[in-house]
């Protein structure tokens, strides 16, 4: 049970630590403050899990110098960690998204290595660890998330050896040959080894990690276990993340969503084939190549705008990072070019939207689309692929899915593609369009069964269950003042 000694000193048996809180602080034009849902798959997955547990969530509010505490969410306390303007630049945009993000995604963009970015990463990770150490009850379970906070497990272990610490990486963990480029590779590995359980999206990530620890840190390992000199054992394993299948499926069945799906199709001119892409505007998502493939199908005359329309939703992300700005410009140009060349009055080939939408609207788009095109160059999981499947109650619709998304391990009945192979993507889209309803039905049924059985509740239960077994909670709490 949580101990409440007034809010300031309350402690919690479960603490989630992630770079972002599930809500972002937004200052409206008239100066009033409101809280908006944070972007990305991490929040989609972890929020429903935390709503069924009392606990605290430690994270950043998305803006500079803000330690204003957002209102509690379903009994979960949201505890802000403040970042200065310069820390946002060095820690978040710099080391997290200019160094680690591209390095961990197969170097699809060039990672930059700057010592001042690293220093900010250490400082901010220490701040997260210290705040968490204050909030965690004796022998509490702490679940640290994602690449922005890889030093937190090690720092927290030093501050609070009594805690059970789990870490889950939402993005891919790279092979040794890429990881070793990182000048601070040893510190990152040691940071992760502060956890009792380190979780990855795919078995390959866990294997990469254990191999690195053996070869670069010199610890003994056996299969997925690492033996540390202090007697601790760290387990590394895959826990493929998922979605709240039942919640989304129910929403997608509602009359309002059904009506909106129909309306979306009408507004797009009731095409025979409605293709859909939904992504953060990120260079890992393969949006450019995907739209090029579609553009070529129009150019060759294989498709015509009277029969096929592409709805691409691309939420702007990390907009101050150069690589993201360049990508946005490139895609804007490509969409303009394709629409200019192949669109007709009232009938653009690509309907391109930058907005962020409520869940109902997303569900309506998933229901409206005949073909969902998910073609990341590399992706930890990709929840959008699973969300589409959850919304296809009538077992129709086709999923074109990149082999390089974690979701491809489970969604084997998708039309799988190599996202670097533009001709291959064109063929897959045509195969999906020409597939017999019986074939689509068989594929969708199988994928829906998989996602339903492995939903986000199962993911969390499996991770937390394994973490509870990871080590007995007998380590005595040792803090400097305890021995005074
Ligand atoms: P990532 O974590 O890299 O952003 P995922 O596909 O795993 O990628 O998760 C993205 C999440 O964000 C999904 O839950 C998706 O529905 C949601 N999302 C993406 N674009 C939008 C948008 N424009 N409006 C609302 N939600 C969005
Ligand atoms: O794992 C994907 C992820 O990077 C999360 O860590 C993050 O919350 C989300 O995508 C959105 O990115 P950002 O927090 O940089 O806007």
């Amino acid at each position: 049970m949580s101990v409440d000694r007034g809010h300031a000193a309350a402690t919690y048996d479960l603490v989630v630590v992630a770079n972002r809180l599930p809500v972002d602080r937004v200052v409206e034009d008239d100066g009033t403050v409101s809280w908006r849902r944070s972007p990305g798959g991490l929040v989609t997955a972890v929020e429903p899990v935390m709503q069924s547990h009392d606990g605290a969530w430690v994270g950043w509010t998305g803006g500079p110098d803000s330690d204003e505490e957002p209102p509690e969410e379903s009994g979960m306390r949201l505890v802000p960690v403040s970042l200065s303007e310069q820390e946002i630049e060095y820690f978040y945009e710099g080391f997290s998204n200019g160094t680690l993000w591209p390095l961990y995604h197969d170097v699809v963009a060039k990672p930059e290595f700057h010592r001042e970015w690293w220093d900010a990463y250490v400082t901010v990770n220490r701040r997260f660890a210290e705040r968490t150490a204050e909030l965690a009850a004796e022998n509490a379970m702490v679940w640290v998330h994602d690449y922005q906070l890889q030093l937190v497990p090690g720092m927290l272990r030093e501050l609070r050896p009594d805690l059970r610490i789990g870490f889950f990486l939402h993005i891919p963990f790279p092979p040794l040959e890429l990881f070793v480029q990182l000048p601070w590779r040893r510190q990152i590995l040691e940071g992760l080894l502060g956890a009792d359980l380190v979780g990855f999206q795919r078995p390959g990530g866990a294997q990469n990690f254990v191999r690195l620890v053996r070869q670069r840190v010199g610890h003994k390992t056996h299969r997925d276990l690492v033996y540390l000199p202090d007697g601790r054992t760290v387990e590394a394993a895959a826990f493929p993340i998922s979605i709240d299948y039942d919640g989304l499926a129910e929403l997608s069945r509602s009359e309002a969503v059904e009506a909106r799906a129909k309306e979306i199709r009408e507004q797009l001119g009731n095409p025979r084939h409605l293709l859909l892409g939904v992504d953060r505007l990120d260079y890992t998502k393969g949006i450019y190549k995907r739209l090029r493939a579609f553009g070529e199908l129009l150019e060759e005359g294989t498709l015509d705008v009277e029969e096929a329309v592409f709805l691409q939703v691309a939420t702007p992300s990390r907009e101050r990072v150069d690589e993201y700005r360049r990508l946005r410009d490139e895609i804007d140009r490509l969409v303009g070019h394709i629409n200019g060349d192949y669109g007709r009055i009232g009938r653009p080939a690509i309907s391109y939207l930058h907005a962020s939408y409520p869940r109902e609207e997303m569900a309506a788009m998933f229901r409206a689309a005949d073909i969902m095109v998910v073609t990341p160059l590399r992706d930890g999981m990709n929840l959008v692929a699973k969300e589409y499947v959850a919304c296809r109650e009538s077992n129709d619709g086709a999923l074109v899915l990149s082999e390089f998304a974690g979701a491809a391990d489970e969604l084997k009945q998708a039309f799988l593609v190599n996202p670097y192979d533009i001709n291959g993507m064109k063929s897959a889209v045509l195969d999906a369009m020409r597939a017999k309803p019986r074939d689509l039905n068989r594929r969708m049924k199988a994928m829906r069964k998989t996602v339903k059985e492995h939903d986000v509740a199962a993911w969390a239960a499996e991770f937390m269950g394994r973490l509870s077994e990871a080590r007995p909670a007998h380590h005595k709490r040792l803090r400097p003042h305890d021995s005074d």
Side-chain angles (χ1 to χ4, degrees):
M1 279 287 105
S2 303
V3 183
D4 195 341
R5 296 182 226 110
H7 222 192
T11 58
Y12 300 85
D13 290 334
L14 175 63
V15 183
V16 158
V17 192
N19 179 48
R20 278 187 192 273
L21 287 171
V23 287
D24 267 353
R25 185 173 185 274
V26 185
V27 184
E28 309 290 351
D29 290 344
D30 64 1
T32 53
V33 169
S34 61
W35 298 91
R36 183 180 57 197
R37 193 161 187 274
S38 305
L42 186 156
V43 169
T44 302
V46 181
E47 199 180 24
V49 172
M50 281 305 280
Q51 283 177 352
S52 52
H53 290 85
D54 283 345
W57 181 319
V58 181
W60 170 53
T61 59
D65 300 315
S66 162
D67 53 11
E68 185 183 333
E69 194 162 320
E72 272 195 9
E73 269 205 11
S74 322
M76 162 177 60
R77 182 165 165 213
L78 305 182
V79 182
V81 170
S82 177
L83 301 189
S84 69
E85 192 62 76
Q86 194 186 61
E87 284 166 347
I88 294 175
E89 190 184 332
Y90 287 8
F91 155 76
Y92 169 69
E93 293 162 354
F95 199 77
S96 298
N97 292 315
T99 306
L100 294 173
W101 181 267
L103 182 70
Y104 282 29
H105 285 90
D106 277 0
V107 196
V108 297
K110 196 169 160 35
E112 288 184 44
F113 302 109
H114 299 294
R115 285 166 286 185
E116 60 276 23
W117 289 4
W118 165 253
D119 293 342
Y121 188 79
V122 176
T123 304
V124 172
N125 271 248
R126 177 152 299 121
R127 191 172 307 143
F128 271 85
E130 284 168 355
R131 192 69 189 99
T132 306
E134 291 163 1
L135 286 161
E138 184 105 18
N139 295 319
M141 184 181 277
V142 175
W143 192 356
V144 185
H145 291 264
D146 230 356
Y147 61 102
Q148 301 96 340
L149 301 178
Q150 293 171 101
L151 302 179
V152 169
M155 292 169 168
L156 195 53
R157 169 80 47 212
E158 292 214 339
L159 293 165
R160 292 287 306 275
D162 60 300
L163 299 177
R164 239 177 249 276
I165 305 173
F167 179 90
F168 183 77
L169 185 71
H170 290 247
I171 67 173
F173 190 77
L176 181 140
E177 292 71 16
L178 295 179
F179 186 84
V180 292
Q181 287 183 17
L182 192 63
W184 307 278
R185 56 203 184 189
R186 193 178 172 110
Q187 290 95 314
I188 295 277
L189 294 173
E190 282 172 349
L192 293 171
L193 288 170
D196 300 296
L197 175 64
V198 185
F200 298 88
Q201 299 278 24
R202 304 178 99 160
Q207 285 154 13
N208 290 344
F209 173 71
V210 172
R211 181 170 165 228
L212 266 158
V213 166
R214 186 173 60 244
Q215 294 193 4
R216 293 286 161 165
V217 192
H219 292 320
K220 278 211 182 101
T221 66
H222 176 64
R223 298 194 176 178
D224 54 359
L225 293 179
V226 178
Y227 301 99
L228 300 185
D230 67 2
R232 276 199 315 119
T233 307
V234 179
E235 185 182 354
F239 299 87
I241 202 166
S242 195
I243 58 164
D244 172 17
Y245 178 93
D246 289 335
L248 188 58
E250 192 185 329
L251 179 67
S252 78
R253 282 193 294 266
S254 72
E255 276 176 25
V257 166
E258 186 185 354
R260 178 66 190 136
K262 205 161 158 260
E263 191 176 55
I264 291 172
R265 289 192 69 95
E266 276 161 14
Q267 286 169 344
L268 291 167
N270 272 325
R272 215 170 116 210
H273 306 288
L274 174 57
L275 294 87
L276 174 67
V278 174
D279 314 79
R280 268 185 314 101
L281 193 34
D282 194 297
Y283 52 81
T284 59
K285 301 290 182 183
I287 304 169
Y288 188 89
K289 287 187 166 52
R290 169 195 316 167
L291 295 181
R292 256 195 72 188
F294 181 63
E296 286 187 16
L297 288 169
L298 295 171
E299 187 184 349
E300 293 160 3
T302 318
L303 291 182
D304 186 276
V305 284
E306 296 303 333
E307 59 171 353
V309 169
F310 206 119
L311 172 59
Q312 175 66 57
V313 178
T315 329
S317 183
R318 307 171 189 164
E319 291 174 88
R320 299 197 312 186
V321 179
D322 284 347
E323 204 67 44
Y324 287 78
R325 279 213 204 109
R326 264 199 296 280
L327 176 79
R328 184 172 174 156
D329 290 347
E330 279 169 13
I331 297 180
D332 281 354
R333 270 200 301 277
L334 180 66
V335 170
H337 161 73
I338 293 175
N339 281 340
D341 285 355
Y342 310 112
R344 312 239 167 89
I345 290 177
R347 192 82 185 209
I350 301 173
S351 213
Y352 182 50
L353 307 171
H354 277 161
S356 197
Y357 297 98
R359 263 161 49 88
E360 293 73 13
E361 183 71 359
M362 302 301 294
M365 286 189 228
F366 292 137
R367 262 197 81 153
D370 304 300
I371 305 181
M372 183 79 219
V373 194
V374 181
T375 55
L377 305 177
R378 178 60 72 192
D379 209 331
M381 173 55 61
N382 198 289
L383 294 182
V384 166
K386 293 187 172 181
E387 288 170 348
Y388 178 69
V389 164
C391 292
R392 306 305 300 186
E393 168 86 347
S394 40
N395 290 317
D396 56 358
L399 174 65
V400 174
L401 178 63
S402 164
E403 295 166 18
F404 304 139
D409 285 353
E410 295 165 87
L411 304 181
K412 295 197 170 76
Q413 297 79 9
F415 292 82
L416 291 173
V417 293
N418 170 357
Y420 291 95
D421 174 6
I422 293 187
N423 285 345
M425 278 197 286
K426 285 157 63 181
S427 305
V429 164
L430 293 175
D431 288 348
M433 281 177 180
R434 292 167 185 164
K436 298 236 160 39
R438 257 184 52 195
D439 181 27
L440 294 180
N441 195 279
R442 178 189 58 79
R443 290 170 184 257
M444 190 54 75
K445 247 189 191 153
M447 292 192 287
R448 283 170 64 79
K449 182 165 183 282
T450 302
V451 182
K452 186 174 170 52
E453 282 171 4
H454 301 276
D455 69 354
V456 75
W459 167 76
E462 206 184 315
F463 187 94
M464 292 205 259
R466 196 86 74 90
L467 181 55
S468 320
E469 292 160 10
R471 75 196 249 277
H474 63 255
H475 288 245
K476 209 177 141 20
R477 179 171 180 167
L478 286 175
R479 289 210 274 187
H481 61 261
D482 290 335
S483 53
D484 284 349

